[in-house]
Amino acid sequence: MSYQFEATDDYFIAEKKIATLISFAKKEGEKGNDDNRMLFLKLGVVFLVTRFQVYVESILKEFNYKLTQTKKTNSELPIHLRLNAIKIRSESKPLNKELENPTTYNNQKLREIYSIISILGDWCNDTNAIHQEFEINTQFPLGKQGLNELKGLFKQVEGKDIFDNARFDINKLNEILGRRHDIVHEDKNMQLTEITLRGYKNFITKVVKYIDGYLKRIVI
């Protein structure tokens, strides 16, 4: 199945390796090699979470790129998304920082300030096409609890929790991230099984499909 974003297709290609690791774990368990079985299951959790992190960052970057390549005008974007991009731009080139050293005041500095203001003005104009330097935050830092970070990334679009109306409980993600954290930092397994890992995989599948569908609605 082809999705709106290449990042989604790439995720599902990579996700097939989870089934392979589950199969390896099951075979090792049948042989009585519990240490090897647990190793494959732990690798499965770490790989799954890593691929999800890569997916989130990749689809946001692709979403950002697609927006700048459309012929949409600024007025066709959610107002929250526009103001968020202006905020990011303003933070990267704050006028007060540019002007904090009076010894640099000259015509060149004036042109630099004009350029900064012009771009922001461009983004405020409803009839202008989306600027090529339009930008959103795409970094998804992983930790023991990463759900709020995930929600925050997608709140950039319309200012709301996009998972409120999902047909799954997004809070389960913290369980999966916590499991990955315990494996990486403390080498815990906490009764990890093939069924548990398969359940994690199926849950992330739902989240990935939901994200693809949500961003598709904005970009097309």
Side-chain angles (χ1 to χ4, degrees), residues 93-114 116-117:
K93 291 184 176 296
L95 290 180
N96 63 316
K97 290 292 184 181
E98 296 290 333
L99 294 169
E100 67 181 358
N101 184 2
T103 64
T104 65
Y105 288 7
N106 52 35
N107 287 333
Q108 175 61 31
K109 175 61 67 174
L110 184 63
R111 286 192 291 271
E112 290 174 5
I113 297 301
Y114 178 76
I116 295 172
I117 295 174

Side-chain angles (χ1 to χ4, degrees), residues 67-104:
L67 283 179
T68 63
Q69 299 306 303
T70 67
K71 295 182 179 180
K72 287 178 178 286
T73 62
N74 290 326
S75 63
E76 295 178 83
L77 293 176
I79 188 63
H80 196 94
L81 185 60
R82 291 173 66 184
L83 289 171
N84 180 75
I86 291 172
K87 172 178 176 288
I88 291 174
R89 180 74 182 192
S90 299
E91 290 174 342
S92 68
K93 291 184 176 296
L95 290 180
N96 63 316
K97 290 292 184 181
E98 296 290 333
L99 294 169
E100 67 181 358
N101 184 2
T103 64
T104 65

